[in-house]
Amino acid sequence: MERDGGEHPFFAGAWGIFGHGIIAGVGQALQENPDFPYRMVRNEQAAVHIATAYAKARNRLGTFACISSIGPGATNMITGAATATINRIPVLLLPGDIFARRNVAPVLQQLESEHSQDVSVNDAFKPVSRYFDRINRPDQIICALPEAMRVLTSPSQTGAVTLALPQDVQAEAFDYPVELFARRVWHIARPEPDRAMMARAIQWIQASRRPLIVAGGGVLFSEATGALSEFAARTGIPVGESQAGKGSLAFDHPQNLGAVGVTGTPGANIAAREADLVIAIGTRLSDFTTASKTAFQNPNVRFININVAEFDAFKHAALPLVGDARAVLEQLDAALTGYRVGGEYARAISRWKEEWECETDRIYTLRHGPPISQGEVIGLVNRLSRPQDIVLCAAGSLPGDLHKLWRTRQPNGYHLEYGYSCMGYEIAGGIGAKMAYPERDVYVMVGDGSYLMMNSEIASSIQEGVKLNIIVLDNHGFSSIGGLSKSIGSGGFGTSYPLPVDFVSMAAALGAHAVRATTREEVEQAIEAMRGHDRTSVVVVEVDKEQRVPGYESWWDVQISETSSIASIREARARYEEAVRKERRHELAVPEESRP
Ligand SMILES: Cc1ncc(C[n+]2csc(CCOP(=O)(O)OP(=O)(O)O)c2C)c(N)n1
Ligand SMILES: [Mg+2]
């Protein structure tokens, strides 16, 4: 693989779990080729999360292959495949499959079907893969591999690539042409946008009085953070960051208004509400970023979407600049030398930034409890980690709090999987991020619910000597969904558990260094000490789930039933009907002639 002249191997090895359908063939190949290292996980889903996190941290310039047995080993990877595909991250999945020769069917773990023999559980990979193939003859691999590599290395097409491998075919001998084994370099392009669209985009920006940039994950993937920093500084255009885009700018960049959308800062959300032009860069414009299409309320708002994927570039009836984020930003910067936002807007941007820093400091130093507040723990981890270190998270109430509060200092220092928000990503993901950046410390922040779902990968981290700092925020249940349930009038039904789980003993039993910390001082000492530990270290902190970080100037559309026997649900529905009216149909362009 090569981009901007630097060549690197695309695969760093393989993760997986052996079983029938993979021990011969692929298993034997890994055994005979130790230069392609194979590592074992505890759950195949985790193998895919490791590969995903590694690829995300490496800006999609590398990944792992993930292997599994047939049946449950394979289907365990499907959640991981969806996570990778939704986040547009390359992973190569090699599940074993049933016999192509069929005569011994049904084999152990085979899904039988009376209407077709051409069905296996691996068909469930199809909707969650960007490329799927089943290799029923050995020579098919000659055609499949180039397609797999094209998709994996394509900035606009990438996601999970699945090659299902029937167990008998894997073990067949075949005379492949030697060219198949020749070194091949896959160039990752930086496509340039259409000239006419570019000229119009420049006019739109020049005509704009309240422009706002929404920075998504594509800014990081394209390594456009430097270009964005210069463009924003020179034009004064403020930047709001999506979850995937957070860290596009350092938190203290004068134009960085921080998180935008449902979990956004007041400044970014007010700027979004009033913006007459939104320049969306490398973002899917998900509901969390657009506040379920309520974020942009200026009746004349229009969008310029800079995206390498045509699909995303056309969202919101935008002027599409289909191309690489860095290439497009450099062109815009050169063409807009005379442009700068007005003084009043510039002053508002500075004021919003100052106010937000005060609010963050307030939450960082609440001195609540014990139990301490989650915002304070975030503040302590932020202060005690180094600028180059990485915070990693995926689901629960932490992503929203981190999106608002985390002060990102270096690109890729903020690693959130929030496309699928997949509980269980955290610890496995930490392994992938740490392997991508061995010299940076990785702080995995994880709720008790997610931790209970997939803490088993602590064993893999110990086994591979991939050291993680894991902070478990224990609020005895699902604070996020509990809060959501209350907001829809359901009172938190089914979201907390009185079960006292001894997380410290659990982590220690898997081989980690583990302590409990209760007071602010204890939490501070325990987090500080983590860096000195020679293996994965776990700090368990009880947090007060009632001490929440508030929302600011935003809304999220979660459906509420039209009818219920519970009065609080009926009341919540009435509030919902009011709020949902703010949703806009951005897919319908504002006609040019109705513009002022
Ligand atoms: C695999 C999976 N199942 C269910 C959900 C829905 N969900 C989102 S957050 C959450 C609770 C997470 O609990 P915890 O990790 O303790 O975090 P908290 O909400 O308490 O901050 C649930 C059930 C999910 N995102 N992923
Ligand atoms: Mg919890």
Side-chain angles (χ1 to χ4, degrees), residues 53-299:
Y54 177 86
K56 178 175 161 79
R58 290 216 38 213
N59 299 328
R60 313 195 295 194
L61 301 180
T63 189
F64 284 98
C66 303
I67 63 141
S68 79
S69 63
I70 79 164
T75 50
N76 267 356
M77 294 206 291
I78 286 171
T79 299
T83 308
T85 294
I86 285 172
N87 285 284
R88 317 271 168 86
I89 307 284
V91 294
L92 176 62
L93 310 182
L94 304 173
D97 210 327
I98 53 174
F99 280 89
R101 68 178 142 90
R102 296 179 178 169
N103 63 323
V104 288
V107 299
L108 178 66
Q109 301 167 339
Q110 176 167 350
L111 175 75
E112 286 186 276
S113 161
E114 65 274 29
H115 62 260
S116 170
Q117 294 192 49
D118 186 28
V119 169
S120 91
V121 293
N122 284 343
D123 288 276
F125 279 100
K126 287 178 181 174
V128 291
S129 298
R130 295 308 305 267
Y131 180 82
F132 174 92
D133 215 345
R134 185 179 281 116
I135 308 301
N136 283 313
R137 292 162 48 124
D139 48 339
Q140 287 175 344
I141 205 89
I142 303 171
C143 304
L145 288 182
E147 292 305 309
M149 287 308 297
R150 175 184 61 76
V151 173
L152 286 168
T153 58
S154 160
S156 62
Q157 299 293 306
T158 199
V161 166
T162 305
L163 300 180
L165 304 171
Q167 60 168 310
D168 49 343
V169 182
Q170 269 180 72
E172 277 176 42
F174 186 81
D175 257 335
Y176 288 103
V178 288
E179 293 86 346
L180 184 66
F181 304 95
R183 196 179 113 88
R184 182 153 173 188
V185 180
W186 291 84
H187 172 69
I188 298 186
R190 292 193 178 277
E192 305 264 337
D194 178 77
R195 272 199 217 163
M197 287 293 134
M198 192 70 192
R200 196 179 305 169
I202 289 159
Q203 285 172 6
W204 281 23
I205 296 172
Q206 276 162 342
S208 166
R209 296 165 54 84
R210 305 285 296 224
L212 172 73
I213 292 170
V214 174
V219 173
L220 290 154
F221 296 153
S222 153
E223 293 171 344
T225 54
L228 178 64
S229 169
E230 279 168 37
F231 179 71
R234 223 190 29 68
T235 58
I237 303 175
V239 176
E241 298 174 320
S242 77
Q243 279 279 14
K246 189 170 161 86
S248 291
L249 295 180
F251 82 95
D252 54 358
H253 187 289
Q255 269 67 46
N256 189 359
L257 294 176
V260 70
V262 179
T263 52
T265 68
N269 284 343
I270 294 169
R273 189 186 306 154
E274 296 172 359
D276 58 3
L277 177 68
V278 176
I279 306 170
I281 312 178
T283 167
R284 301 184 303 133
L285 294 166
S286 79
D287 64 346
F288 261 77
T289 305
T290 68
S292 302
K293 305 256 160 74
T294 65
F296 311 109
Q297 288 296 336
N298 185 326

Side-chain angles (χ1 to χ4, degrees), residues 510-523:
L510 290 169
H513 184 285
V515 294
R516 180 180 309 284
T518 305
T519 64
R520 186 179 164 94
E521 287 65 35
E522 281 171 17
V523 176

Side-chain angles (χ1 to χ4, degrees), residues 474 476 500-505 514-519 522-523 526 538-542:
D474 181 11
H476 314 291
V501 180
D502 184 350
F503 291 111
V504 174
S505 306
V515 294
R516 180 180 309 284
T518 305
T519 64
E522 281 171 17
V523 176
V538 178
V539 174
V540 180
V541 187
E542 192 188 347

